[in-house]
Amino acid sequence: MKRIAVFGSGTGSNFVALQEAFGSQIKLVISDQKEAGILQKAEKQGIPTIYEPGGRDLCQRMRSHLEGIDLICLAGFMRLIKEPLLSDFEGRILNIHPSLLPAYPGLYAWKQALEDGAQESGCTVHYVDAGMDTGEVILQARVPVLPEDTEESLHERIQVQEHRIYPQAVQMVLDLLD
Ligand code: GRF
């Protein structure tokens, strides 16, 4: 059984989707935000949690918690992953992003799509490299952008797809690691 760690800074709805799919394979949740919903949700499930504030040597500090972990899933983690984690976990760090990459990398991708007048958006699960939302794409899902959409309604439609494809993509990668 491969062991998974989830990193997140926010509410943790993708963590919940992963937890429902992979259960006790999720061994650890790390957040850079002390009050993040993802930590509270993990604690409720009895999953060990760690708060690591951002700043100097964050990836070095996180590394010390990751012995025995096979795969890292970023789920709304608002910091760039750097060395030594990139080398330690080459091909074993995934991210979910709320756009059809390479369109709209970076923050508030659903807002960028809306402001751009895009007719379609979606989400992408990709491998993490040193760039921001630049790694190789694993899976994508499309959603329409509707004329009446607000930032909230579009993000919500995208998140439904995130919760569907993130577990699928993780399973695909776990199968490759076997
Ligand atoms: C998601 O929209 C994800 O695509 C982005 O951050 C958000 C995290 O949401 N990277 P949640 O904390 O999983 O609910």
Side-chain angles (χ1 to χ4, degrees), residues 10-15 75-77 95-98 110 155 159 162-163:
T11 57
S13 67
N14 280 284
F15 155 73
F77 190 61
N95 183 40
I96 179 96
H97 182 78
W110 61 90
H155 189 208
Q159 285 220 292
E162 292 183 349
H163 303 156

